Amino acid sequence: MKKWVFIWAAVCLTALTACHIETSGNGRLDGYWQLRQVDSLGNGVTVDYAERDVYWSFQHKLLQLSDLHGTNIICRLTEDNQVLTLDTPCLFDRSEGDTPVSDAAVLQPFGVNALQEQLRIVTLEPDWLVLESSVLRLRFRKY
């Protein structure tokens, strides 16, 4: 009996020390968010994005922008004092390789207006996210 207890304890200790859980540190921001609404801060115009199927996926230091048409863009992501900085956008293509985006117009359908964009986190709830750039307010629903 003592032999089995010793073997069981050894297996448990090995399993516990062999596992290393890495977290991104993004907290509730991590995950899949659907862009639902875009508000212009300059003229007050609101555009409903609910049917456009635009998604932002946050994971660690990356942001993936995707849409129903199969466009996938990967950006580097940093967060400092509730401000997200997106930069180095690339068209994501596993078979052909990533192509750097050189024209910010490619990013505009996703609510991003510059190759390097800063977005302030206005609201971050379990189901809702609101981000603000210098010209737009982006409203997301957690998917």
Side-chain angles (χ1 to χ4, degrees):
M1 181 69 169
K2 286 184 181 182
K3 181 179 176 181
W4 289 110
V5 170
F6 177 73
I7 292 173
W8 181 81
V11 168
C12 288
L13 286 174
T14 302
L16 289 175
T17 58
C19 295
H20 174 71
I21 298 173
E22 184 174 322
T23 60
S24 73
N26 292 341
R28 290 189 290 193
L29 184 62
D30 272 350
Y32 201 59
W33 297 87
Q34 181 185 24
L35 182 58
R36 303 288 292 183
Q37 181 178 314
V38 176
D39 304 325
S40 171
L41 300 177
N43 61 15
V45 172
T46 296
V47 178
D48 182 10
Y49 262 65
E51 301 301 319
R52 294 187 185 197
D53 288 325
V54 172
Y55 298 93
W56 289 31
S57 179
F58 296 92
Q59 183 179 7
H60 199 45
K61 295 182 180 188
L62 292 176
L63 168 64
Q64 180 176 347
L65 308 171
S66 58
D67 65 16
L68 189 62
H69 307 295
T71 304
N72 289 297
I73 298 171
I74 297 288
C75 303
R76 291 185 189 268
L77 171 70
T78 56
E79 189 267 332
D80 185 32
N81 200 24
Q82 296 294 95
V83 175
L84 302 175
T85 302
L86 315 178
D87 62 26
T88 321
C90 292
L91 289 169
F92 180 60
D93 186 344
R94 287 185 185 220
S95 61
E96 299 294 323
D98 300 340
T99 306
V101 173
S102 58
D103 183 5
V106 173
L107 305 171
Q108 288 176 346
F110 299 96
V112 178
N113 290 308
L115 296 176
Q116 182 175 22
E117 182 87 273
Q118 289 194 330
L119 301 160
R120 184 173 61 88
I121 298 173
V122 177
T123 304
L124 179 54
E125 299 294 330
D127 294 328
W128 289 99
L129 169 66
V130 179
L131 301 175
E132 238 177 47
S133 71
S134 59
V135 294
L136 297 176
R137 181 177 301 117
L138 309 172
R139 298 175 191 274
F140 297 86
R141 175 180 66 109
K142 186 98 177 218
Y143 216 76

